[in-house]
Amino acid sequence: MAVLGAGSWGTTFAKILTDGGADVVLWARRPELAREISEARRNSDYLPGVNLPIGLRATSRLDLALAGAEMVFVSVPSQSLRENLKQVEPYLAENAIIISLMKGVERSTGMRMSSVIEEVLRIDPDRIAAISGPNLALEIAKEQPTGAVVSSSSLETAQAVAKLATNRYFRSYINTDVIGTEFGGVLKNLIAVAIGIVDGVGYGENTKASIITRGLVEMTDFAVAYGAQAETLAGLAGLGDLIATCQSPLSRNNTAGRLLGQGYSINDVVKQMQQTTEGLASVKPVLELARAKGVEMPIVEQVRQVLDGTLNPRDIAPHLTTDSGEPQGERTLDDAQAHGGASLWGAFQRTFDQLRHGRRSAGGPRP
Ligand SMILES: NC(=O)C1=CN([C@@H]2O[C@H](COP(=O)(O)OP(=O)(O)OC[C@H]3O[C@@H](n4cnc5c(N)ncnc54)[C@H](O)[C@@H]3O)[C@@H](O)[C@H]2O)C=CC1
Ligand SMILES: O=C(CO)COP(=O)(O)O
């Protein structure tokens, strides 16, 4: 099988698969990196101090990486997926399964990665899977035990991929909720940026816990509005990843937020980040998608304002934003499920607000 993209996650995932017994070729754009991985068994820029398994081969030639590969795992920056897939297509084995390891949406279209794969390669969605979960690459590369979720519209595909993506330190669960699984990975990045900002400003645990908790509701509302199951967001690809990314200094999204909170401009932050920080590119498309479904996302909205320089990071307090100033009910995930889905409950709440205030409610928080 092939893994495309030899950054932190692609290399780590190639190690996971190799350690699980699979025959893996890792594609790196740069020949010198492919050589380092093959010969020195290292990827020193992305995974310092990690020894890569002996069976793992690397190449900078796409044709060689893809020759006969029945499964192709893709881990390039989300904004480059489309152009990469166009190069991949001529070499793709018939009936190959394509698995996205990425956690972004395409900025120009708002599309999830599996949708971009389906559109560009024109393949049956049953041949596409997405993997997500609390998966900070460096921890896994050091073989610290971790779980993830493999999601595909085909249970058979999810099972086949999960069997291979399992070893003594990595366990793959399965589901068929691709929308929830992918949006979980995208949205937790945005909450992690908010948490980073809060850290950078110097606020403490109460503020962070409030934002994480309300962030999960915000993520669930959004994902359910697009057809996800609320329970997926309460699982590894939602809550699990949210905790890992918000807590860890290894997280690039969290780190980018921390720099913003310390007063650096977005341009300075982008210059300092050596690795892919998906959250920064996802803010605008996610807000556009939210608006299209009438979902309110006060946390992501305030992250946008900090990125745009229109909100002082010290004023970040999205969970305190209130439309009416009146006490709000705390709706939790259980409430969302009991009411038949978060988006339905959100719509009910907005209608109620409109009736009460005799106007369209805009920008305020949900209960
Ligand atoms: N690092 C992590 O802990 C995890 C990352 N992810 C996701 O994996 C995806 C990849 O992230 P990382 O590996 O962490 O990023 P990275 O920044 O470590 O590596 C990205 C790789 O893609 C290459 N690249 C950059 N532009 C490219 C282009 N136009 N075409 C082809 N290759 C290009 C870079 O040279 C590098 O090898 C992201 O969507 C990220 O959200 C998911 C789970 C964990
Ligand atoms: O997705 C990740 C952990 O699950 C990696 O997070 P960052 O992209 O913020 O480093």
Side-chain angles (χ1 to χ4, degrees):
M1 66 195 58
V3 176
L4 307 183
S8 344
W9 191 219
T11 307
T12 300
F13 216 86
K15 172 170 159 51
I16 291 169
L17 294 166
T18 309
D19 288 342
D23 182 16
V24 182
V25 182
L26 175 59
W27 173 75
R29 267 195 315 177
R30 288 176 290 131
E32 62 275 19
L33 178 55
R35 244 188 329 272
E36 190 197 9
I37 294 169
S38 288
E39 291 169 13
R41 313 257 132 239
R42 292 267 174 167
N43 183 342
S44 45
D45 281 348
Y46 290 102
L47 298 173
V50 171
N51 292 320
L52 297 170
I54 289 176
L56 175 60
R57 290 173 289 144
T59 176
S60 59
R61 283 189 44 190
L62 252 189
D63 56 338
L64 295 183
L66 290 166
E70 288 167 7
M71 288 193 192
V72 179
F73 296 78
V74 188
S75 186
V76 295
S78 297
Q79 306 313 322
S80 74
L81 175 64
R82 190 175 287 272
E83 71 189 52
N84 274 292
L85 288 176
K86 287 180 191 155
Q87 292 171 41
V88 162
E89 193 175 10
Y91 307 116
L92 207 55
E94 207 180 338
N95 296 327
I97 292 172
I98 315 295
I99 305 106
S100 164
L101 303 177
M102 296 158 284
K103 293 182 178 171
V105 285
E106 191 175 52
R107 196 170 10 202
S108 54
T109 62
M111 285 164 80
R112 287 176 289 109
M113 296 294 97
S114 63
S115 304
V116 175
I117 292 170
E118 188 183 338
E119 183 175 280
V120 177
L121 299 179
R122 298 177 303 280
I123 60 176
D124 188 329
D126 282 359
R127 279 174 48 204
I128 301 172
I131 300 186
S132 199
N135 295 155
L136 294 152
L138 193 59
E139 289 184 8
I140 300 175
K142 291 178 177 168
E143 305 189 1
Q144 297 178 14
T146 313
V149 183
V150 179
S151 184
S152 172
S153 54
S154 154
L155 195 59
E156 209 184 351
T157 297
Q159 279 167 337
V161 175
K163 268 191 196 149
L164 288 168
T166 292
N167 65 31
R168 65 185 186 283
Y169 55 84
F170 194 85
R171 163 89 187 267
S172 288
Y173 295 81
I174 51 174
N175 74 32
T176 53
D177 181 10
V178 180
I179 298 173
T181 302
E182 285 192 302
F183 273 142
V186 171
L187 298 169
K188 62 83 195 181
N189 285 339
L190 306 180
I191 308 303
V193 175
I195 292 298
I197 294 171
V198 163
D199 256 336
V201 165
Y203 295 154
E205 302 309 322
N206 298 333
T207 312
K208 286 189 267 182
S210 303
I211 292 177
I212 290 172
T213 311
R214 296 310 302 166
L216 184 59
V217 176
E218 199 164 307
M219 288 165 59
T220 308
D221 276 1
F222 178 100
V224 169
Y226 275 93
Q229 291 159 18
E231 67 180 23
T232 305
L233 280 296
L236 289 168
L239 178 61
D241 203 0
L242 183 64
I243 293 171
T245 315
C246 288
Q247 277 186 343
S248 175
L250 286 179
S251 157
R252 286 88 41 103
N253 290 289
N254 192 341
T255 303
R258 201 158 47 247
L259 294 169
L260 289 164
Q262 288 166 356
Y264 291 95
S265 71
I266 179 65
N267 289 337
D268 291 337
V269 172
V270 169
K271 271 188 220 141
Q272 284 195 51
M273 300 304 299
Q274 307 282 326
Q275 296 184 19
T276 311
T277 309
E278 294 281 13
L280 301 179
S282 299
V283 174
K284 284 188 179 159
V286 163
L287 284 174
E288 276 163 26
L289 290 169
R291 241 171 260 129
K293 292 281 186 189
V295 176
E296 289 163 5
M297 303 194 87
I299 300 177
V300 180
E301 180 57 37
Q302 288 208 341
V303 168
R304 181 192 67 75
Q305 290 169 5
V306 171
L307 291 177
D308 287 354
T310 55
L311 181 74
N312 183 330
R314 293 199 68 78
D315 293 334
I316 193 166
H319 55 298
L320 303 182
T321 316
T322 171
D323 204 20
S324 64
E326 293 190 16
Q328 312 260 326
E330 186 200 20
R331 188 181 54 71
T332 63
L333 296 182
D334 281 350
D335 294 335
Q337 280 160 330
H339 286 88
S343 60
L344 207 60
W345 178 238
F348 166 78
Q349 198 62 35
R350 281 189 293 281
T351 310
F352 177 74
D353 284 347
Q354 282 166 23
L355 289 174
R356 197 170 50 159
H357 298 297
R359 62 182 169 79
R360 288 192 74 76
S361 107
R366 293 168 318 288

